[in-house]
Amino acid sequence: MNLTDHEKAMYDGEHGRAKARAMDLLVRYGEALGAERLVETNNVAGAFNASTPSVQAIAEKGMEHVYSELNLDSDEVVEVPHMVAHTCQLITGIDNDNWELQGVDKALVDMQRANEKYLGRRGVNMFATCTPYQVGNVPVKGEHCAWMESSAVIYCNSVLGARTNVEGKESTGAAALTGRIPYWGFHITENRRGTHLVELDIEVDDMMDWGLLGYYIGEVIGEEIPVLKGIGRQPDLIKLKHFGAAAASSGGVEMYHIPGVTPEADSIEEAFGGRKLKGTFRYGARERRETYEKLQSSTEKKVDFIMLGCPHNSIDQMALIAHMLENRKIHSDVQLWVHTPRAIKQVAERNGYIDVIREAGGVVMSDTCPAISRRLPAGTKVIATDSAKQAHYLPAITGVQGWFGSVSDCVDAALTGQWNGRV
Amino acid sequence: MDIATEAKPEIIELKGRKVVAGRAEGEALVTTETISGWGGINERTGTVIERRHEMRGVSFAGKILVFPGAKGSSGWSAYFHMTRLNGVQPAAMIFTRMTTKIALGAVVTRVPAITELDQDPLSVIETGDWIVVDADAGTVTVTKKSLK
């Protein structure tokens, strides 16, 4: 791989052992990919947290051991200097406030807090959310990023027009210390063009519709780049956040174009940019219904856990849920957890939304989600969620049965204890 | 059946590109399905846990894992990284589809890995075949189990 003079100097240890180990990992990774060089990045979103039992044995030796082994793949234990790139922490396994409700051992909570203290002052900003683009990290078009989290990557590439591959724990750890990531995949303009056309025969409008469309596209397209034709109504952050998360769950979609909406294509022609069309799919009422059925993994109408907020809710989603729960109480057999980034939770608190949700019997969670933490309320057998991503992962990971539907269907289930959702 | 098809070569050699350096030999474990890291494997046992996966319940620990590649969460590398720390990593990886997940995952699992082979490894290699992976030389040598 071709390295610049500065990169060679880092590799050779002239800027300290941590950067040398980071460069070693980036060179091994770049050569594995077949990349010819690295690209500068000043925007890293990674998983630096120490919140699981498997990390405990390493964390006991010191947080520099955790970073060296798990974020740099280095046998040599290095002192961790301040991050070079703007860097943030994505979602973690523990809600710093609601850990008892999650059933987390206090020792793990202390470990996560100690790790945050260690990394926070070194420049890892503790957003603790899967949606950094909601709380201050909004890359601009063309910006080279090194992000993890499939739902954030697809948003970054498609909606913002910034450039990232799906990075991992080790590559983001190395990128944060060096400001470099392999120049490969979605960093390169030609690789960002559309491959498949998806023609819509029906109007796609509300959030559930967008989730269904995303889940369908991921299933049929896998890891290719869809171009959507026939979107009549302007989508917003909430809908595209849900759409992308769904497409990245059922398939491996990391980029899409909606001509006239997403920034890299004003027309179908521009979206394909001369690339040969690999195939066309039509999405109509039948595909919508079939996708809805696929997302249901439950036969039991009695529900005991409602999960809202995956990807983490925007302030407007928090407002809507509070409005639906105003002066009402959820069913005594049901637990309701609503997930939002900690920064948005502050706003929601100030607006009074948190009080409304709490008075109705719900809990507002931050920093985590049930799929990442693998923690549900004790005894949960049947869940309902407004997230196609959680409906996809939670039954597989935790063995529960799951219902998927609109946010109003889910709130209705919270109030009645029964699933009455309909497509 | 003519003689040419009856007299199968005892040993097949495939040529490809090094992903991670090193040499390893062992028994092949072949799946035509991509594998998830986070949510798809148990990192303490090296076992595939994904529901509806054809390899569910099967451990790849110590095997030459032959598969299309990675899918799913960006936690792929972190989970295969943990299999190495727990001593249940595969002995080598042979795969067909390059992505950032599989590249980084193979690097941090630190096992010989190879891709871009001149024949489709998923059809040439069967579970139980004896495999020698020499990533530096870019070769995969297959001894069919029936002839071993």
PDB file of all heavy atoms in Angstrom, chain A residues 215-242:
ATOM      1  N   TYR A 215     -37.420  -2.868   4.346  1.00  0.00           N
ATOM      2  CA  TYR A 215     -37.235  -4.296   4.638  1.00  0.00           C
ATOM      3  C   TYR A 215     -37.356  -5.123   3.352  1.00  0.00           C
ATOM      4  O   TYR A 215     -36.594  -6.056   3.115  1.00  0.00           O
ATOM      5  CB  TYR A 215     -38.258  -4.755   5.681  1.00  0.00           C
ATOM      6  CG  TYR A 215     -37.829  -6.014   6.405  1.00  0.00           C
ATOM      7  CD1 TYR A 215     -36.877  -5.965   7.417  1.00  0.00           C
ATOM      8  CD2 TYR A 215     -38.372  -7.257   6.073  1.00  0.00           C
ATOM      9  CE1 TYR A 215     -36.465  -7.111   8.081  1.00  0.00           C
ATOM     10  CE2 TYR A 215     -37.970  -8.410   6.738  1.00  0.00           C
ATOM     11  CZ  TYR A 215     -37.023  -8.331   7.741  1.00  0.00           C
ATOM     12  OH  TYR A 215     -36.617  -9.467   8.394  1.00  0.00           O
ATOM     13  N   TYR A 216     -38.315  -4.740   2.507  1.00  0.00           N
ATOM     14  CA  TYR A 216     -38.487  -5.420   1.213  1.00  0.00           C
ATOM     15  C   TYR A 216     -37.230  -5.258   0.349  1.00  0.00           C
ATOM     16  O   TYR A 216     -36.702  -6.223  -0.200  1.00  0.00           O
ATOM     17  CB  TYR A 216     -39.717  -4.849   0.480  1.00  0.00           C
ATOM     18  CG  TYR A 216     -39.771  -5.223  -0.986  1.00  0.00           C
ATOM     19  CD1 TYR A 216     -40.235  -6.477  -1.377  1.00  0.00           C
ATOM     20  CD2 TYR A 216     -39.329  -4.331  -1.966  1.00  0.00           C
ATOM     21  CE1 TYR A 216     -40.250  -6.833  -2.724  1.00  0.00           C
ATOM     22  CE2 TYR A 216     -39.346  -4.684  -3.302  1.00  0.00           C
ATOM     23  CZ  TYR A 216     -39.802  -5.935  -3.678  1.00  0.00           C
ATOM     24  OH  TYR A 216     -39.813  -6.290  -5.001  1.00  0.00           O
ATOM     25  N   ILE A 217     -36.750  -4.040   0.261  1.00  0.00           N
ATOM     26  CA  ILE A 217     -35.599  -3.766  -0.616  1.00  0.00           C
ATOM     27  C   ILE A 217     -34.365  -4.533  -0.142  1.00  0.00           C
ATOM     28  O   ILE A 217     -33.642  -5.133  -0.949  1.00  0.00           O
ATOM     29  CB  ILE A 217     -35.340  -2.246  -0.705  1.00  0.00           C
ATOM     30  CG1 ILE A 217     -36.424  -1.598  -1.563  1.00  0.00           C
ATOM     31  CG2 ILE A 217     -33.947  -1.956  -1.274  1.00  0.00           C
ATOM     32  CD1 ILE A 217     -36.316  -0.092  -1.687  1.00  0.00           C
ATOM     33  N   GLY A 218     -34.110  -4.549   1.149  1.00  0.00           N
ATOM     34  CA  GLY A 218     -32.966  -5.305   1.668  1.00  0.00           C
ATOM     35  C   GLY A 218     -33.060  -6.777   1.300  1.00  0.00           C
ATOM     36  O   GLY A 218     -32.069  -7.408   0.916  1.00  0.00           O
ATOM     37  N   GLU A 219     -34.277  -7.328   1.396  1.00  0.00           N
ATOM     38  CA  GLU A 219     -34.478  -8.749   1.076  1.00  0.00           C
ATOM     39  C   GLU A 219     -34.174  -9.058  -0.384  1.00  0.00           C
ATOM     40  O   GLU A 219     -33.560 -10.066  -0.695  1.00  0.00           O
ATOM     41  CB  GLU A 219     -35.928  -9.152   1.381  1.00  0.00           C
ATOM     42  CG  GLU A 219     -36.184  -9.337   2.847  1.00  0.00           C
ATOM     43  CD  GLU A 219     -36.735 -10.730   3.159  1.00  0.00           C
ATOM     44  OE1 GLU A 219     -37.557 -11.236   2.385  1.00  0.00           O
ATOM     45  OE2 GLU A 219     -36.319 -11.282   4.188  1.00  0.00           O
ATOM     46  N   VAL A 220     -34.633  -8.198  -1.285  1.00  0.00           N
ATOM     47  CA  VAL A 220     -34.478  -8.534  -2.709  1.00  0.00           C
ATOM     48  C   VAL A 220     -33.131  -8.079  -3.277  1.00  0.00           C
ATOM     49  O   VAL A 220     -32.653  -8.642  -4.250  1.00  0.00           O
ATOM     50  CB  VAL A 220     -35.635  -7.975  -3.588  1.00  0.00           C
ATOM     51  CG1 VAL A 220     -36.959  -8.595  -3.179  1.00  0.00           C
ATOM     52  CG2 VAL A 220     -35.717  -6.446  -3.528  1.00  0.00           C
ATOM     53  N   ILE A 221     -32.529  -7.083  -2.653  1.00  0.00           N
ATOM     54  CA  ILE A 221     -31.339  -6.478  -3.244  1.00  0.00           C
ATOM     55  C   ILE A 221     -30.041  -6.869  -2.555  1.00  0.00           C
ATOM     56  O   ILE A 221     -28.966  -6.794  -3.149  1.00  0.00           O
ATOM     57  CB  ILE A 221     -31.529  -4.937  -3.310  1.00  0.00           C
ATOM     58  CG1 ILE A 221     -32.153  -4.586  -4.653  1.00  0.00           C
ATOM     59  CG2 ILE A 221     -30.234  -4.183  -3.107  1.00  0.00           C
ATOM     60  CD1 ILE A 221     -32.441  -3.140  -4.844  1.00  0.00           C
ATOM     61  N   GLY A 222     -30.129  -7.321  -1.304  1.00  0.00           N
ATOM     62  CA  GLY A 222     -28.927  -7.737  -0.578  1.00  0.00           C
ATOM     63  C   GLY A 222     -28.003  -6.560  -0.331  1.00  0.00           C
ATOM     64  O   GLY A 222     -28.341  -5.661   0.435  1.00  0.00           O
ATOM     65  N   GLU A 223     -26.844  -6.575  -0.996  1.00  0.00           N
ATOM     66  CA  GLU A 223     -25.850  -5.527  -0.726  1.00  0.00           C
ATOM     67  C   GLU A 223     -25.696  -4.539  -1.879  1.00  0.00           C
ATOM     68  O   GLU A 223     -24.734  -3.784  -1.929  1.00  0.00           O
ATOM     69  CB  GLU A 223     -24.501  -6.179  -0.417  1.00  0.00           C
ATOM     70  CG  GLU A 223     -24.540  -6.951   0.881  1.00  0.00           C
ATOM     71  CD  GLU A 223     -23.283  -7.760   1.129  1.00  0.00           C
ATOM     72  OE1 GLU A 223     -22.573  -8.079   0.165  1.00  0.00           O
ATOM     73  OE2 GLU A 223     -23.041  -8.081   2.290  1.00  0.00           O
ATOM     74  N   GLU A 224     -26.638  -4.552  -2.809  1.00  0.00           N
ATOM     75  CA  GLU A 224     -26.523  -3.662  -3.964  1.00  0.00           C
ATOM     76  C   GLU A 224     -27.052  -2.266  -3.626  1.00  0.00           C
ATOM     77  O   GLU A 224     -27.424  -1.983  -2.489  1.00  0.00           O
ATOM     78  CB  GLU A 224     -27.286  -4.267  -5.145  1.00  0.00           C
ATOM     79  CG  GLU A 224     -26.830  -5.672  -5.509  1.00  0.00           C
ATOM     80  CD  GLU A 224     -25.569  -5.703  -6.367  1.00  0.00           C
ATOM     81  OE1 GLU A 224     -24.971  -4.639  -6.599  1.00  0.00           O
ATOM     82  OE2 GLU A 224     -25.190  -6.801  -6.815  1.00  0.00           O
ATOM     83  N   ILE A 225     -27.090  -1.395  -4.660  1.00  0.00           N
ATOM     84  CA  ILE A 225     -27.461   0.011  -4.447  1.00  0.00           C
ATOM     85  C   ILE A 225     -28.763   0.326  -5.188  1.00  0.00           C
ATOM     86  O   ILE A 225     -28.770   0.488  -6.419  1.00  0.00           O
ATOM     87  CB  ILE A 225     -26.337   0.946  -4.937  1.00  0.00           C
ATOM     88  CG1 ILE A 225     -25.023   0.583  -4.228  1.00  0.00           C
ATOM     89  CG2 ILE A 225     -26.726   2.414  -4.687  1.00  0.00           C
ATOM     90  CD1 ILE A 225     -23.816   1.355  -4.730  1.00  0.00           C
ATOM     91  N   PRO A 226     -29.893   0.387  -4.471  1.00  0.00           N
ATOM     92  CA  PRO A 226     -31.179   0.642  -5.124  1.00  0.00           C
ATOM     93  C   PRO A 226     -31.392   2.115  -5.451  1.00  0.00           C
ATOM     94  O   PRO A 226     -30.923   2.998  -4.745  1.00  0.00           O
ATOM     95  CB  PRO A 226     -32.197   0.175  -4.079  1.00  0.00           C
ATOM     96  CG  PRO A 226     -31.494   0.335  -2.772  1.00  0.00           C
ATOM     97  CD  PRO A 226     -30.033   0.113  -3.038  1.00  0.00           C
ATOM     98  N   VAL A 227     -32.119   2.342  -6.543  1.00  0.00           N
ATOM     99  CA  VAL A 227     -32.563   3.680  -6.928  1.00  0.00           C
ATOM    100  C   VAL A 227     -34.098   3.639  -6.917  1.00  0.00           C
ATOM    101  O   VAL A 227     -34.699   2.813  -7.597  1.00  0.00           O
ATOM    102  CB  VAL A 227     -32.041   4.054  -8.333  1.00  0.00           C
ATOM    103  CG1 VAL A 227     -32.563   5.428  -8.742  1.00  0.00           C
ATOM    104  CG2 VAL A 227     -30.515   4.008  -8.369  1.00  0.00           C
ATOM    105  N   LEU A 228     -34.712   4.515  -6.124  1.00  0.00           N
ATOM    106  CA  LEU A 228     -36.169   4.476  -5.959  1.00  0.00           C
ATOM    107  C   LEU A 228     -36.847   5.414  -6.946  1.00  0.00           C
ATOM    108  O   LEU A 228     -36.458   6.577  -7.096  1.00  0.00           O
ATOM    109  CB  LEU A 228     -36.548   4.891  -4.534  1.00  0.00           C
ATOM    110  CG  LEU A 228     -36.524   3.789  -3.473  1.00  0.00           C
ATOM    111  CD1 LEU A 228     -35.153   3.156  -3.360  1.00  0.00           C
ATOM    112  CD2 LEU A 228     -36.968   4.329  -2.124  1.00  0.00           C
ATOM    113  N   LYS A 229     -37.887   4.873  -7.580  1.00  0.00           N
ATOM    114  CA  LYS A 229     -38.653   5.670  -8.544  1.00  0.00           C
ATOM    115  C   LYS A 229     -40.124   5.641  -8.139  1.00  0.00           C
ATOM    116  O   LYS A 229     -40.669   4.556  -7.900  1.00  0.00           O
ATOM    117  CB  LYS A 229     -38.477   5.068  -9.944  1.00  0.00           C
ATOM    118  CG  LYS A 229     -39.128   5.865 -11.043  1.00  0.00           C
ATOM    119  CD  LYS A 229     -38.968   5.154 -12.378  1.00  0.00           C
ATOM    120  CE  LYS A 229     -39.753   5.878 -13.463  1.00  0.00           C
ATOM    121  NZ  LYS A 229     -39.767   5.094 -14.693  1.00  0.00           N
ATOM    122  N   GLY A 230     -40.736   6.811  -8.040  1.00  0.00           N
ATOM    123  CA  GLY A 230     -42.163   6.848  -7.733  1.00  0.00           C
ATOM    124  C   GLY A 230     -42.488   7.293  -6.318  1.00  0.00           C
ATOM    125  O   GLY A 230     -43.593   7.069  -5.823  1.00  0.00           O
ATOM    126  N   ILE A 231     -41.510   7.915  -5.642  1.00  0.00           N
ATOM    127  CA  ILE A 231     -41.789   8.483  -4.320  1.00  0.00           C
ATOM    128  C   ILE A 231     -42.516   9.809  -4.541  1.00  0.00           C
ATOM    129  O   ILE A 231     -41.949  10.760  -5.097  1.00  0.00           O
ATOM    130  CB  ILE A 231     -40.473   8.730  -3.534  1.00  0.00           C
ATOM    131  CG1 ILE A 231     -39.774   7.396  -3.223  1.00  0.00           C
ATOM    132  CG2 ILE A 231     -40.733   9.527  -2.257  1.00  0.00           C
ATOM    133  CD1 ILE A 231     -40.503   6.511  -2.254  1.00  0.00           C
ATOM    134  N   GLY A 232     -43.772   9.856  -4.134  1.00  0.00           N
ATOM    135  CA  GLY A 232     -44.589  11.041  -4.398  1.00  0.00           C
ATOM    136  C   GLY A 232     -44.490  12.089  -3.314  1.00  0.00           C
ATOM    137  O   GLY A 232     -44.525  13.282  -3.563  1.00  0.00           O
ATOM    138  N   ARG A 233     -44.349  11.613  -2.070  1.00  0.00           N
ATOM    139  CA  ARG A 233     -44.351  12.572  -0.958  1.00  0.00           C
ATOM    140  C   ARG A 233     -42.970  12.672  -0.338  1.00  0.00           C
ATOM    141  O   ARG A 233     -42.296  11.671  -0.121  1.00  0.00           O
ATOM    142  CB  ARG A 233     -45.363  12.128   0.100  1.00  0.00           C
ATOM    143  CG  ARG A 233     -46.758  12.172  -0.452  1.00  0.00           C
ATOM    144  CD  ARG A 233     -47.805  11.979   0.601  1.00  0.00           C
ATOM    145  NE  ARG A 233     -49.088  11.731  -0.049  1.00  0.00           N
ATOM    146  CZ  ARG A 233     -50.167  11.360   0.585  1.00  0.00           C
ATOM    147  NH1 ARG A 233     -50.141  11.179   1.885  1.00  0.00           N
ATOM    148  NH2 ARG A 233     -51.298  11.153  -0.076  1.00  0.00           N
ATOM    149  N   GLN A 234     -42.571  13.870  -0.045  1.00  0.00           N
ATOM    150  CA  GLN A 234     -41.258  14.158   0.515  1.00  0.00           C
ATOM    151  C   GLN A 234     -41.077  13.433   1.865  1.00  0.00           C
ATOM    152  O   GLN A 234     -41.836  13.649   2.797  1.00  0.00           O
ATOM    153  CB  GLN A 234     -41.154  15.674   0.743  1.00  0.00           C
ATOM    154  CG  GLN A 234     -39.928  16.133   1.487  1.00  0.00           C
ATOM    155  CD  GLN A 234     -38.671  16.052   0.638  1.00  0.00           C
ATOM    156  OE1 GLN A 234     -38.721  16.209  -0.571  1.00  0.00           O
ATOM    157  NE2 GLN A 234     -37.558  15.790   1.282  1.00  0.00           N
ATOM    158  N   PRO A 235     -40.065  12.553   1.970  1.00  0.00           N
ATOM    159  CA  PRO A 235     -39.789  11.939   3.271  1.00  0.00           C
ATOM    160  C   PRO A 235     -38.983  12.883   4.164  1.00  0.00           C
ATOM    161  O   PRO A 235     -38.430  13.865   3.689  1.00  0.00           O
ATOM    162  CB  PRO A 235     -38.960  10.713   2.902  1.00  0.00           C
ATOM    163  CG  PRO A 235     -38.266  11.087   1.635  1.00  0.00           C
ATOM    164  CD  PRO A 235     -39.174  12.053   0.908  1.00  0.00           C
ATOM    165  N   ASP A 236     -38.929  12.563   5.455  1.00  0.00           N
ATOM    166  CA  ASP A 236     -38.131  13.358   6.387  1.00  0.00           C
ATOM    167  C   ASP A 236     -37.130  12.449   7.118  1.00  0.00           C
ATOM    168  O   ASP A 236     -37.020  11.262   6.810  1.00  0.00           O
ATOM    169  CB  ASP A 236     -39.040  14.097   7.381  1.00  0.00           C
ATOM    170  CG  ASP A 236     -39.896  13.130   8.192  1.00  0.00           C
ATOM    171  OD1 ASP A 236     -39.640  11.898   8.160  1.00  0.00           O
ATOM    172  OD2 ASP A 236     -40.838  13.586   8.875  1.00  0.00           O
ATOM    173  N   LEU A 237     -36.423  13.025   8.061  1.00  0.00           N
ATOM    174  CA  LEU A 237     -35.399  12.276   8.803  1.00  0.00           C
ATOM    175  C   LEU A 237     -35.975  10.999   9.435  1.00  0.00           C
ATOM    176  O   LEU A 237     -35.377   9.929   9.352  1.00  0.00           O
ATOM    177  CB  LEU A 237     -34.791  13.182   9.886  1.00  0.00           C
ATOM    178  CG  LEU A 237     -33.756  12.571  10.831  1.00  0.00           C
ATOM    179  CD1 LEU A 237     -32.758  13.631  11.266  1.00  0.00           C
ATOM    180  CD2 LEU A 237     -34.370  11.915  12.065  1.00  0.00           C
ATOM    181  N   ILE A 238     -37.139  11.112  10.051  1.00  0.00           N
ATOM    182  CA  ILE A 238     -37.727   9.976  10.772  1.00  0.00           C
ATOM    183  C   ILE A 238     -37.961   8.799   9.817  1.00  0.00           C
ATOM    184  O   ILE A 238     -37.635   7.645  10.118  1.00  0.00           O
ATOM    185  CB  ILE A 238     -39.071  10.387  11.425  1.00  0.00           C
ATOM    186  CG1 ILE A 238     -38.842  11.491  12.461  1.00  0.00           C
ATOM    187  CG2 ILE A 238     -39.751   9.191  12.055  1.00  0.00           C
ATOM    188  CD1 ILE A 238     -40.135  12.103  13.003  1.00  0.00           C
ATOM    189  N   LYS A 239     -38.494   9.104   8.658  1.00  0.00           N
ATOM    190  CA  LYS A 239     -38.848   8.044   7.703  1.00  0.00           C
ATOM    191  C   LYS A 239     -37.604   7.428   7.080  1.00  0.00           C
ATOM    192  O   LYS A 239     -37.503   6.209   6.945  1.00  0.00           O
ATOM    193  CB  LYS A 239     -39.784   8.608   6.633  1.00  0.00           C
ATOM    194  CG  LYS A 239     -41.153   8.974   7.218  1.00  0.00           C
ATOM    195  CD  LYS A 239     -41.982   9.826   6.287  1.00  0.00           C
ATOM    196  CE  LYS A 239     -43.246  10.309   7.036  1.00  0.00           C
ATOM    197  NZ  LYS A 239     -44.017  11.258   6.253  1.00  0.00           N
ATOM    198  N   LEU A 240     -36.640   8.263   6.699  1.00  0.00           N
ATOM    199  CA  LEU A 240     -35.427   7.718   6.080  1.00  0.00           C
ATOM    200  C   LEU A 240     -34.551   7.002   7.103  1.00  0.00           C
ATOM    201  O   LEU A 240     -33.859   6.036   6.764  1.00  0.00           O
ATOM    202  CB  LEU A 240     -34.657   8.823   5.358  1.00  0.00           C
ATOM    203  CG  LEU A 240     -35.406   9.434   4.161  1.00  0.00           C
ATOM    204  CD1 LEU A 240     -34.534  10.449   3.449  1.00  0.00           C
ATOM    205  CD2 LEU A 240     -35.879   8.349   3.181  1.00  0.00           C
ATOM    206  N   LYS A 241     -34.594   7.434   8.335  1.00  0.00           N
ATOM    207  CA  LYS A 241     -33.883   6.742   9.429  1.00  0.00           C
ATOM    208  C   LYS A 241     -34.423   5.320   9.564  1.00  0.00           C
ATOM    209  O   LYS A 241     -33.661   4.361   9.657  1.00  0.00           O
ATOM    210  CB  LYS A 241     -34.085   7.566  10.713  1.00  0.00           C
ATOM    211  CG  LYS A 241     -33.682   6.913  12.011  1.00  0.00           C
ATOM    212  CD  LYS A 241     -33.562   7.966  13.129  1.00  0.00           C
ATOM    213  CE  LYS A 241     -34.890   8.509  13.637  1.00  0.00           C
ATOM    214  NZ  LYS A 241     -35.605   7.666  14.584  1.00  0.00           N
ATOM    215  N   HIS A 242     -35.742   5.184   9.538  1.00  0.00           N
ATOM    216  CA  HIS A 242     -36.368   3.880   9.669  1.00  0.00           C
ATOM    217  C   HIS A 242     -36.160   3.028   8.415  1.00  0.00           C
ATOM    218  O   HIS A 242     -35.838   1.845   8.483  1.00  0.00           O
ATOM    219  CB  HIS A 242     -37.865   4.067   9.938  1.00  0.00           C
ATOM    220  CG  HIS A 242     -38.568   2.798  10.308  1.00  0.00           C
ATOM    221  ND1 HIS A 242     -39.914   2.636  10.169  1.00  0.00           N
ATOM    222  CD2 HIS A 242     -38.112   1.638  10.802  1.00  0.00           C
ATOM    223  CE1 HIS A 242     -40.246   1.416  10.565  1.00  0.00           C
ATOM    224  NE2 HIS A 242     -39.177   0.791  10.955  1.00  0.00           N
TER     225      HIS A 242
END
